[in-house]
Amino acid sequence: MVVAIQEPNENFQQWLGEPKAAGPPLPPEYQELPGADRLIWTTHAWEVLHEDCDYPDGWPNYLLRFPHHDYQSEGRTFLVVQTGWAWVGQLPAA
């Protein structure tokens, strides 16, 4: 769960990418937190990057069992692995 005010929340939205409509809703234990019902929640994939130089023998099977995709940046290769979900809450626009 991510809670922030104004700019930091926008940074989380940008870093986490587009919301995933098919993702799970905010868990019940978080829905029960004071004030959680006042926020609009979006679900995002929580992803971790693994660099290929850390795995000279190839990507390990335990990483490949998770949803994943390749990512290239500045000549470097990464495996982006979804390890869970993040929820971002925002107050409705006034």
Side-chain angles (χ1 to χ4, degrees):
M1 178 171 66
V2 176
V3 178
I5 299 171
Q6 295 176 356
E7 286 183 32
N9 197 10
E10 291 171 12
N11 291 340
F12 280 118
Q13 289 274 14
Q14 185 177 17
W15 178 60
L16 292 170
E18 292 297 315
K20 307 291 185 194
L26 186 68
E29 59 269 24
Y30 293 129
Q31 291 177 20
E32 296 170 6
L33 292 172
D37 59 333
R38 295 183 19 217
L39 302 175
I40 297 171
W41 293 95
T42 55
T43 304
H44 302 261
W46 184 264
E47 298 176 321
V48 178
L49 275 73
H50 299 272
E51 192 166 5
D52 65 346
C53 66
D54 293 331
Y55 302 94
D57 297 327
W59 302 119
N61 285 333
Y62 75 89
L63 289 178
L64 299 175
R65 285 185 229 159
F66 291 97
H68 62 276
H69 63 276
D70 290 333
Y71 174 72
Q72 301 277 329
S73 177
E74 299 178 15
R76 298 163 63 190
T77 301
F78 298 88
L79 183 69
V80 181
V81 180
Q82 181 185 341
T83 59
W85 297 96
W87 295 270
V88 177
Q90 294 187 100
L91 285 172

